[in-house]
Amino acid sequence: MALVLSSLQKAVSALASVLAKSDDVEFMNHLDDVARTAIRAGVILHFEFTYELCWKFIKRWLETNISPAAADGVTRRELFRLGAENRLLDDVEQWMRYYEARNLTSHIYQPEIAERVYNTAHDFARDAARLLAALEARND
């Protein structure tokens, strides 16, 4: 049974779009501090949402393609390891860093934490797109 990937496709696309806008120096320079902060907060929000969809789709893929109990009760590290073993992910440790950054999102009122999560979102966007491509290629 194929997974319906439209929500992940939209999330990955939205994250890429908001990151592109936040990386547009000319655009960002024309904004005041409040608007710049709002754009960066939008990146963090999209990172958070897309990350949640990613790990849930890894779990669903494993349950659908390996066995219904393949991901029952596993830690996030184990889930990512299983994802890598099944060629959905490239780097388990990098995905653990995304997991840690996601856990920090409840503390983004601290500027240094917000900056760290914002910067992590750039690498994550690339890896989320790779995961999506792997899921699309192996979605049977």
Side-chain angles (χ1 to χ4, degrees), residues 19-75:
L19 274 168
K21 201 52 111 167
S22 76
D23 289 339
D24 182 338
V25 175
E26 185 176 330
F27 170 76
M28 293 295 281
N29 284 341
H30 283 92
L31 301 176
D32 62 23
D33 286 341
V34 172
R36 277 193 297 276
T37 299
I39 296 285
R40 292 169 71 88
V43 168
I44 293 167
L45 181 65
H46 282 288
F47 159 75
E48 184 177 22
F49 181 74
T50 306
Y51 170 82
E52 291 296 321
L53 283 175
C54 283
W55 78 259
K56 289 174 183 177
F57 270 101
I58 293 167
K59 186 176 187 294
R60 286 182 199 151
W61 188 92
L62 292 166
E63 291 168 344
T64 301
N65 293 282
I66 304 302
S67 82
D72 282 354
V74 299
T75 65

Side-chain angles (χ1 to χ4, degrees), residues 58 79-92:
I58 293 167
L79 180 71
F80 294 150
R81 188 188 63 73
L82 290 167
E85 284 178 4
N86 287 280
R87 301 184 326 268
L88 298 176
L89 305 176
D90 295 326
D91 184 346
V92 173

Side-chain angles (χ1 to χ4, degrees), residues 3-15 49-58 60 95 124 128-133 135-136:
L3 297 175
V4 178
L5 298 171
S6 57
S7 61
L8 184 57
Q9 291 163 336
K10 289 175 186 174
V12 168
S13 176
L15 176 59
F49 181 74
T50 306
Y51 170 82
E52 291 296 321
L53 283 175
C54 283
W55 78 259
K56 289 174 183 177
F57 270 101
I58 293 167
R60 286 182 199 151
W95 279 85
F124 172 74
R130 284 184 186 152
L131 170 61
L132 175 59
L135 289 168
E136 289 170 337

